[in-house]
Amino acid sequence: MFEYPRFLKVITLVQCDSTNNYLKNHYEDLRDHLPVLVTSALQTGGRGRQQRTWLSPKGKGLYSSFGFLLDTKQKLRFLPLVAGISVIEMLREITADEFVLKWPNDVLYREKKIAGVLIENIITEQKIFCITGIGINLNHTLDDFPGEFLEKAISLRIITGLEYDTGEINPFLSTVFFHWLEKLKSNEKEEIVETANRYSEFLMYRNISFHESSSGIVMEGIFKGINHDGGLILGREGGHDTIHYSGEIA
Ligand code: BTN
């Protein structure tokens, strides 16, 4: 049975709109008590990336957000990888199954999504307050996924047949997350990138459609891994590569 890291303040809610919003709204009260984990049994307004909704029914998923400080903007590029790697290592440890990373931070099992990460930051002159929200599908049955998600989503219960308790998963996830965050804080970026590349191996040299969020443009190319700076390397027609820092693989 895992315990929470002793330095972590844990806030357990029965319900909220979004654990990311909770951290944003309570930043002033919490800033002297960081790092903080906020976890909720259900979310009424769970949010995903690209303004999507993250359905968050009670007892089905893990809905948690870490709030902590980072000292430089340069480190922010690696945060999605840190979150994705942490979820993967935690899931691999409890199931011995093959979970993989779809850049920047989706976690997949046999090409279906089991977890997602929403990172939001409050940048002040001295510090960056980072909010890393993590959603993991734990106890969903096939009936719990609306039609359009059946093809592309999966839960731990569908994989293993077992039920999971967020009271056990959250401390484990926190321990792994702060292990990797410490590496980021102490600038061990190479290890983060190397690990993320290892977990992305399944996509290597495959054709992908990449949706760049800054321009809204969709580009076709070949996934060529993650560069030293956390960016996606897209091999383009004609043989040249482009590097991307915001967006997602379709
Ligand atoms: C994605 O689109 O893949 C990201 C999903 C992130 C969902 C989590 S659940 C906890 C936290 N609170 C939110 O409203 N969103 C994140």
Side-chain angles (χ1 to χ4, degrees), residues 7-247:
F7 53 78
L8 182 66
K9 178 180 172 67
V10 179
I11 300 174
T12 305
L13 306 172
V14 173
Q15 156 171 355
C16 67
D17 61 344
S18 147
T19 51
N20 273 31
N21 291 356
Y22 184 95
L23 277 175
K24 262 191 239 168
N25 298 337
H26 293 81
Y27 172 59
E28 290 301 326
D29 314 330
L30 292 172
R31 59 198 284 179
D32 294 331
H33 306 281
L34 301 176
V36 176
L37 168 74
V38 180
T39 184
S40 184
L42 75 90
Q43 297 184 123
T44 53
R47 295 183 290 109
R49 300 179 78 221
Q50 319 289 350
Q51 328 308 332
R52 288 187 291 253
T53 298
W54 188 261
L55 294 174
S56 310
K58 187 172 177 200
K60 299 292 175 185
L62 173 142
Y63 319 113
S64 295
S65 302
F66 295 106
F68 53 91
L69 297 176
L70 274 185
D71 54 0
T72 65
K73 279 192 197 166
Q74 285 76 8
K75 289 182 180 148
L76 284 177
R77 283 191 176 160
F78 299 87
L79 201 48
L81 304 180
V82 161
I85 289 171
S86 303
V87 174
I88 287 172
E89 293 202 333
M90 184 276 291
L91 292 176
R92 284 186 175 206
E93 193 64 35
I94 58 173
T95 64
D97 257 315
E98 187 84 350
F99 295 89
V100 296
L101 181 73
K102 185 169 97 172
W103 185 96
N105 53 22
D106 278 353
V107 177
L108 309 185
Y109 178 83
R110 298 193 181 158
E111 315 259 328
K112 293 186 174 186
K113 180 159 165 170
I114 189 158
V117 179
L118 177 67
I119 295 177
E120 299 176 292
N121 305 304
I122 300 173
I123 302 181
T124 64
E125 263 165 38
Q126 301 85 15
K127 289 273 181 193
I128 304 158
F129 177 52
C130 302
I131 299 172
T132 301
I134 298 179
I136 307 179
N137 299 334
L138 295 180
N139 297 320
H140 301 67
T141 60
L142 290 174
D143 292 340
D144 292 318
F145 289 120
E148 75 267 28
F149 288 106
L150 266 178
E151 289 283 294
K152 43 189 185 181
I154 197 160
S155 74
L156 266 191
R157 180 169 169 188
I158 295 169
I159 298 168
T160 67
L162 302 173
E163 289 237 27
Y164 293 86
D165 179 355
T166 52
E168 289 181 11
I169 304 267
N170 265 318
F172 194 2
L173 178 64
S174 305
T175 303
V176 184
F177 180 76
F178 282 99
H179 164 82
W180 281 101
L181 188 64
E182 206 41 58
K183 288 193 186 288
L184 178 56
K185 286 190 172 178
S186 55
N187 263 318
E188 293 171 63
K189 295 169 185 164
E190 278 170 22
E191 194 180 339
I192 294 170
V193 170
E194 185 267 318
T195 307
N197 268 314
R198 196 151 32 84
Y199 292 155
S200 311
E201 196 69 42
F202 79 107
L203 255 190
M204 205 63 179
Y205 301 118
R206 272 174 53 178
N207 288 317
I208 56 167
S209 295
F210 176 70
H211 182 262
E212 188 174 59
S213 35
S214 50
S215 62
I217 293 172
V218 178
M219 302 167 212
E220 304 300 323
I222 292 168
F223 179 76
K224 292 177 91 174
I226 300 164
N227 80 348
H228 67 282
D229 219 7
L232 174 143
I233 309 167
L234 188 66
R236 309 297 302 280
E237 214 180 301
H240 70 288
D241 296 340
T242 51
I243 309 293
H244 303 273
Y245 292 100
S246 74

